Amino acid sequence: MTKWVYSFGAGTAEGRADMRNLLGGKGANLAEMSNLGIPVPPGFTITTEVCTYYYDNGNQYPADLVEQVNEALKTVEEGMGAKFGDLTMPLLVSVRSGARASMPGMMDTVLNLGLNDETVEALAKASNDPRFAYDSYRRFIQMYSDVVLGVEHHHFEEILERHKEDRGLNLDTEVTADDWKMLVGQYKDKVAEQLGRPFPQDVQDQLWGAIGAVFGSWMNQRAITYRRLHNIPANWGTAVNVQAMVFGNMGNDCATGVCFTRNPSTGENEFYGEYLVNAQGEDVVAGIRTPQQLTKAAREAQSSDLPSMEECMPEVFAELNAVRHKLEAHYCDMQDMEFTVQKNKLWMLQTRGGKRTVKAALKIAVDMAREGLITRKQAIMRIEPQALDQLLHPTLDPKAKREILARGLPASPGAASGKVVFSAEDAEEWVAKGEKVVLVRIETSPEDIGGMHVAQGILTTRGGMTSHAAVVARGMGRPCVAGAGDIRVDYKAKVLKAAGKEVREGDVITIDGSTGQVMLGEVPTIQPELTGDFATLMEWVDTIRNLRVRTNAETPLDAQTARKFGAEGIGLCRTEHMFFDPQRIISMREMILAGDEKGRRAALAKLLPYQRQDFIDLFEIMQGLPVTVRLLDPPLHEFLPHTEAEMADVARESGIDVATIKARAEQLHESNPMLGHRGCRLGITYPEIYEMQAQAIFEAAVEVSRRTGKTVTPEIMIPLVGTKKELDLLKEAIDRVAEEVFTASKYRLDYLVGTMIELPRAALRAGQIAESAEFFSFGTNDLTQTTFGMSRDDAGSFVEVYRQKGIYENDPFATLDRDGVGELIAIAAERGRQTRPNIKLGICGEHGGDPASIAFCQKVGLDYVSCSPYRVPIARLAAAQAALGAGAESLA
Ligand code: PEP
Ligand code: MG
């Protein structure tokens, strides 16, 4: 015989907390509280298996369910000294749903079930309080009709409002027993009118109606949608909890409330909660009356004159406080509890892990580990890495009002406000005048880098999570909302349109790069705090993880920020942005426009000192930590002027005529630049570019090593390699330049030459490439792009549809595609190691800062991950969790 029903209450229970899958969260915790000897009104849980059975068998219950329910009901009756449907001492029950995971959208609660025209009279007598009895009955009719019978609240509210108006009453508390009795009659008439049948008087019909409504709600549209969004399988089912009613509305020695074992918004270890005297649970939620504080301290802090529970019911409060300590110690976590006081007796109705802010989560985890309630490892596992983001950037004040204009992708976290400008040059000009700006572009390109740098935040209307704007903004720690497709930008008119509004240049907007929201006007922000609990948790994390965490950084500011966040080196220093500085872009263009190698070398010689200084700065900041410099990657035309006016400027500065510039730009134009003349292909066709960069790196390394005594071991990285031969040719040149520098400076140091693995061919031929490469760094932005055959700049326009249709679970540019791209990484790692057992392996694509992808990197056995500075703490925590086995189950 299958056990479908589990009883609880009166100090014992048939279930336990670890039977959550069978009993649902609420049922399992009610059982656990009963076992702990905490006062819980007796009741029983109908298991989730009944729900599954019900749907597997054409909406039929198991044959023996009725019998088991009746048995359990008898136990409840005995426990309460009352009988269901009895005409002297009627038992009333609540019926609630309770799935494994808390699930809004399902039938929630029916209270006071068991009342009808006769039992209400019995209740009036037994309680000696007709007003209470009829008030309970009208509440029951309204709730049951709404959630079980589908007659909406407003029908009843209208009747009540009309009555109060006729009598000149303001508050429900002024309604008398006789009034409620009359209203009950009107409520029942309304139900009969709406449904064509009377309100059920048989208490068994009421009970099974409510049970059926809970199971039915498992398949309502809201619940289905919620499950889809949260990956909850339909076959989990929900449980039903039937529990004896206790009343918080039987007089002034009664109350009801909700509380947390610690403060859920600050994490402070203080009792926190609200209650209402002479009320039922729904009154607290409905917000009609102002709830009172639980503790005296909280009341004083709020300067409220409504007495706290601590003052008003000191003994019951003390008991509740003891329950608080007991439950928290038992569950080893902050709890969210519901309680009712009936005639000065405390009853606990629910406990569960309490929702909390990130700040509170951090404080609670660290405090609990210090208190010895949990281990440090448990503390580490309790914090969601991505959530740390909220602590690293200024965030929007949650209390502030927001007028949402549009939504885009949360491309780079943090909040920023400023005056709208529509070009990078305008951004620089306005900032030079002392303004704060938000740079709004349809999309950005490397030439916008200056404007992006000075802007408070960046908003684009096109492009995905790895679009130029997104990657660069994350690198700089600049808030960015990308691909806000509902915004129309008119560069000419300098205006953007969204949500029926026009925002002109100079108007203020706010963007929230953590949520993707774009708002009108300035929304106030709160500054981050990196000491205290945050620092403590980070220390603990570092003792656990074995993946190293480096950063993607190319400016001194980025490198310093990353060091502050605990980066252990630079895993990717992109060098292309370095050439957009106004003094350098001229020489860069000269180099590109030069007719021959001699001309190119002459221009490169002018760039050398700048480039050397770039690396000196970075090596100094990184103080002997590894620095991987990637040689030039983007196609050359990105450095050329685009508009006629810009071409004229360049012509004036360089002395080269506009026609030549135009011709060269046309010559360099490519249909698919992402797959074109870029990466090491540049180095192969113009070796002198990489030679200059290598010389700058070695000269800088020698200078800093000599000056600081901390030896720099530069790692030179070649992008977009597909064959060993490419790498060999370039490595030969680099080795030659190194030799020249060492000879000239009379100083030698070690260095590594390695490659990015960002093409499927490179991954497959890794065994051979590793004969020459001393390290691999997986460039998973390009590797994802080339494996999927999907442009990283254009994917934003359709990836969301793919996700909605369930083709992709995640955006593969944000979370590594383990099955495809991941397999290539695993193959490359294995083949690379076969050839060169101690080859250094890292990842520097955007996935290096994504917790799920980091778990994969741990599994494949990479040595390090590299991510943008602001993701360094997230990666440190994710790496520790990966080492502790988090995410392992999904690695199969
Ligand atoms: C990559 O392709 O993953 C990478 C890190 O290089 P980039 O994003 O500069 O192409
Ligand atoms: Mg790349």
Side-chain angles (χ1 to χ4, degrees):
M1 197 182 92
T2 313
K3 186 167 174 54
W4 305 112
V5 178
Y6 286 72
S7 293
F8 58 79
T12 68
E14 294 174 323
R16 291 184 313 270
D18 61 3
M19 291 164 73
R20 190 183 188 96
N21 294 359
L22 188 64
L23 303 179
K26 196 186 291 269
N29 287 330
L30 283 168
E32 191 77 0
M33 284 200 288
S34 302
N35 286 328
L36 289 170
I38 288 169
V40 170
F44 55 89
T45 304
I46 304 173
T47 69
T48 56
E49 285 176 354
V50 174
C51 185
T52 316
Y53 181 103
Y54 178 81
Y55 283 109
D56 286 350
N57 292 277
N59 298 5
Q60 296 289 318
Y61 296 123
D64 46 353
L65 180 66
V66 173
E67 196 188 318
Q68 292 192 24
V69 165
N70 287 339
E71 270 307 301
L73 196 56
K74 219 181 279 164
T75 316
V76 178
E77 289 175 336
E78 281 158 17
M80 293 300 285
K83 266 194 149 73
F84 198 44
D86 193 63
L87 298 188
T88 337
M89 191 54 86
L91 170 73
L92 304 192
V93 296
S94 65
V95 178
R96 296 178 163 101
S97 64
R100 264 196 233 186
S102 131
M103 260 190 54
M106 285 176 50
M107 193 208 95
D108 190 18
T109 304
V110 175
L111 300 178
N112 307 325
L113 189 141
L115 280 174
N116 59 26
D117 295 351
E118 293 174 335
T119 55
V120 69
E121 281 296 331
L123 181 68
K125 263 205 205 107
S127 64
N128 198 18
D129 190 348
R131 187 184 182 282
F132 156 74
Y134 278 95
D135 181 19
S136 300
Y137 192 19
R138 66 93 194 182
R139 286 172 190 256
F140 169 55
I141 295 172
Q142 178 165 350
M143 242 181 174
Y144 191 91
S145 300
D146 181 49
V147 301
V148 179
L149 305 175
V151 181
E152 287 176 15
H153 273 300
H154 68 89
H155 291 294
F156 307 103
E157 271 147 21
E158 279 157 20
I159 294 172
L160 178 57
E161 279 316 305
R162 208 176 320 124
H163 175 80
K164 284 186 353 198
E165 240 167 63
D166 289 351
R167 300 279 163 104
L169 307 176
N170 283 323
L171 299 171
D172 287 5
T173 43
E174 296 165 349
V175 181
T176 65
D178 284 341
D179 286 343
W180 282 132
K181 196 166 178 174
M182 188 194 70
L183 285 165
V184 159
Q186 294 184 11
Y187 279 20
K188 285 191 302 177
D189 291 347
K190 183 50 96 180
V191 174
E193 174 200 311
Q194 290 292 312
L195 296 179
R197 58 191 150 86
F199 185 82
Q201 290 290 312
D202 181 332
V203 293
Q204 283 289 337
D205 286 353
Q206 292 176 356
L207 177 62
W208 287 97
I211 292 171
V214 173
F215 288 137
S217 69
W218 180 251
M219 285 297 175
N220 73 27
Q221 196 50 51
R222 270 176 311 167
I224 291 171
T225 307
Y226 186 86
R227 282 200 292 278
R228 183 169 54 76
L229 293 175
H230 294 84
N231 293 323
I232 297 173
N235 66 9
W236 277 12
T238 180
V240 181
N241 297 292
V242 178
Q243 193 176 18
M245 283 297 300
V246 286
F247 297 96
N249 57 339
M250 272 177 123
N252 286 335
D253 51 359
C254 302
T256 188
V258 292
C259 54
F260 295 83
T261 57
R262 301 189 186 212
N263 186 317
S265 79
T266 63
E268 218 52 67
N269 190 357
E270 64 195 10
F271 202 12
Y272 179 91
E274 295 174 336
Y275 82 113
L276 275 176
V277 175
N278 198 7
Q280 223 167 25
E282 48 178 336
D283 303 326
V284 182
V285 187
I288 302 163
R289 286 168 57 189
T290 307
Q292 297 159 233
Q293 296 299 312
L294 223 49
T295 63
K296 185 163 174 264
R299 176 184 65 75
E300 284 167 357
Q302 301 211 339
S303 352
S304 157
D305 14 294
L306 299 168
S308 68
M309 186 179 183
E310 190 175 4
E311 294 157 298
C312 183
M313 302 180 160
E315 274 138 44
V316 188
F317 173 80
E319 199 187 338
L320 181 63
N321 200 18
V323 169
R324 162 202 175 205
H325 289 301
K326 191 168 190 172
L327 283 176
E328 192 180 86
H330 181 72
Y331 283 98
C332 298
D333 196 10
M334 189 264 268
Q335 297 293 297
D336 163 356
M337 306 167 298
E338 287 176 20
F339 65 89
T340 282
V341 179
Q342 178 177 327
K343 305 231 170 268
N344 280 321
K345 165 139 183 62
L346 175 70
W347 295 98
M348 299 306 295
L349 303 184
Q350 166 157 311
T351 189
R352 58 181 170 187
K355 291 227 164 19
R356 60 205 81 176
T357 62
V358 188
K359 188 171 174 240
L362 197 63
K363 175 153 185 57
I364 290 170
V366 169
D367 282 354
M368 284 191 169
R370 284 197 176 126
E371 290 159 22
L373 215 50
I374 57 175
T375 63
R376 286 182 180 185
K377 286 180 184 168
Q378 285 172 312
I380 288 170
M381 296 307 285
R382 290 225 176 138
I383 310 294
E384 217 245 298
Q386 208 69 64
L388 286 185
D389 228 12
Q390 286 185 27
L391 303 176
L392 306 178
H393 302 269
T395 45
L396 290 179
D397 184 342
K399 291 192 210 97
K401 264 219 179 126
R402 307 174 185 201
E403 189 182 335
I404 313 266
L405 268 181
R407 265 169 229 276
L409 298 170
S412 177
S417 301
K419 294 187 173 169
V420 168
V421 292
F422 291 96
S423 78
E425 297 91 79
D426 286 346
E428 291 187 80
E429 243 169 62
W430 285 53
V431 171
K433 286 186 290 187
E435 301 281 8
K436 285 187 173 172
V437 303
V438 171
L439 175 60
V440 180
R441 301 284 300 162
I442 294 172
E443 58 193 346
T444 63
S445 69
E447 64 186 332
D448 295 328
I449 198 87
M452 294 171 79
H453 212 98
V454 297
Q456 299 294 309
I458 297 144
L459 167 63
T460 69
T461 59
R462 203 185 285 157
M465 293 295 281
T466 48
S467 61
H468 179 266
V471 172
V472 171
R474 275 200 292 277
M476 292 174 174
R478 204 68 77 250
C480 173
V481 172
D486 290 340
I487 297 181
R488 291 278 153 269
V489 169
D490 184 341
Y491 283 146
K492 254 213 190 108
K494 297 196 174 183
V495 62
L496 71 81
K497 289 185 189 154
K501 298 220 161 61
E502 277 195 4
V503 177
R504 313 205 143 264
E505 181 183 54
D507 291 349
V508 174
I509 61 167
T510 298
I511 60 167
D512 184 348
S514 310
T515 62
Q517 287 179 351
V518 181
M519 290 143 281
L520 203 60
E522 178 163 355
V523 182
T525 53
I526 302 171
Q527 288 305 311
E529 162 108 57
L530 299 180
T531 51
D533 301 320
F534 176 82
T536 306
L537 188 85
M538 284 294 127
E539 264 171 43
W540 295 351
V541 153
D542 289 346
T543 62
I544 302 287
R545 68 188 161 91
N546 34 46
L547 272 172
R548 308 252 118 210
V549 177
R550 298 198 195 178
T551 189
N552 295 355
E554 60 200 46
T555 67
L557 186 65
D558 292 347
Q560 271 153 353
T561 307
R563 286 287 290 134
K564 193 177 76 189
F565 287 142
E568 297 165 296
I570 292 180
L572 171 64
C573 167
R574 294 181 169 99
T575 51
E576 50 271 22
H577 293 129
M578 295 170 166
F579 297 108
F580 280 97
D581 192 277
Q583 291 156 310
R584 307 182 192 189
I585 190 71
I586 301 170
S587 311
M588 188 68 183
R589 286 171 174 164
E590 240 179 78
M591 189 273 291
I592 296 168
L593 295 169
D596 56 13
E597 188 187 323
K598 191 160 157 268
R600 281 193 296 275
R601 283 196 185 275
L604 284 164
K606 292 190 218 164
L607 288 169
L608 177 70
Y610 293 116
Q611 181 91 102
R612 185 169 49 221
Q613 192 57 46
D614 293 332
F615 299 133
I616 288 173
D617 292 344
L618 291 176
F619 290 148
E620 274 180 342
I621 292 165
M622 297 318 284
Q623 300 188 329
L625 293 171
V627 175
T628 307
V629 180
R630 180 183 70 188
L631 304 185
L632 197 68
D633 185 47
L636 293 183
H637 74 83
E638 287 199 4
F639 299 94
L640 287 185
H642 297 295
T643 63
E644 296 270 341
E646 284 172 334
M647 286 192 193
D649 282 349
V650 173
R652 210 174 318 109
E653 284 160 4
S654 62
I656 302 169
D657 61 279
V658 175
T660 312
I661 296 173
K662 251 194 193 160
R664 183 68 176 140
E666 269 161 33
Q667 195 186 8
L668 286 173
H669 174 81
E670 291 178 311
S671 304
N672 292 305
M674 269 291 187
L675 299 175
H677 195 173
R678 57 168 285 217
C680 68
R681 296 159 198 170
L682 288 174
I684 295 289
T685 40
Y686 308 111
E688 54 278 5
I689 301 178
Y690 279 12
E691 284 171 25
M692 180 280 284
Q693 290 195 290
Q695 186 181 347
I697 293 168
F698 290 124
E699 288 178 355
V702 165
E703 183 180 328
V704 173
S705 301
R706 202 173 241 155
R707 177 147 44 83
T708 64
K710 284 197 177 144
T711 312
V712 179
T713 308
E715 300 175 357
I716 299 183
M717 180 154 78
I718 316 289
L720 218 74
V721 162
T723 67
K724 174 175 181 293
K725 194 83 192 163
E726 287 168 317
L727 181 59
D728 283 344
L729 274 173
L730 297 167
K731 186 169 185 310
E732 209 177 277
I734 292 166
D735 288 341
R736 181 168 28 82
V737 171
E739 206 42 51
E740 285 164 14
V741 172
F742 296 159
T743 309
S745 62
K746 301 195 180 59
Y747 194 98
R748 290 196 163 264
L749 41 79
D750 292 332
Y751 62 93
L752 302 178
V753 178
T755 176
M756 297 190 74
I757 301 286
E758 46 187 350
L759 296 176
R761 191 180 198 284
L764 296 173
R765 301 301 297 155
Q768 201 192 16
I769 292 172
E771 288 168 15
S772 309
E774 292 166 298
F775 64 86
F776 287 166
S777 180
F778 291 98
T780 45
N781 302 334
D782 274 312
L783 190 57
T784 299
Q785 161 166 274
T786 50
T787 301
F788 278 82
M790 183 163 84
S791 156
R792 60 199 258 195
D793 288 335
D794 301 316
S797 60
F798 55 84
V799 160
E800 200 39 46
V801 177
Y802 265 58
R803 287 187 56 188
Q804 276 164 14
K805 299 206 168 185
I807 302 170
Y808 298 160
E809 203 179 315
N810 298 299
D811 177 350
F813 287 108
T815 297
L816 195 78
D817 158 48
R818 295 180 179 204
D819 297 343
V821 179
E823 185 166 5
L824 283 170
I825 293 174
I827 289 171
E830 192 197 317
R831 294 183 186 173
R833 283 205 184 102
Q834 250 164 33
T835 303
R836 190 187 287 267
N838 63 350
I839 189 166
K840 230 197 244 196
L841 301 176
I843 180 173
C844 64
E846 287 301 295
H847 306 90
D850 170 63
S853 311
I854 291 170
F856 179 83
C857 296
Q858 167 88 15
K859 182 180 176 241
V860 187
L862 300 192
D863 297 299
Y864 68 86
V865 298
S866 188
C867 55
S868 51
Y870 278 84
R871 282 193 180 176
V872 167
I874 296 167
R876 285 162 73 195
L877 175 56
Q881 292 187 348
L884 291 171
E889 75 288 349
S890 51
L891 287 171

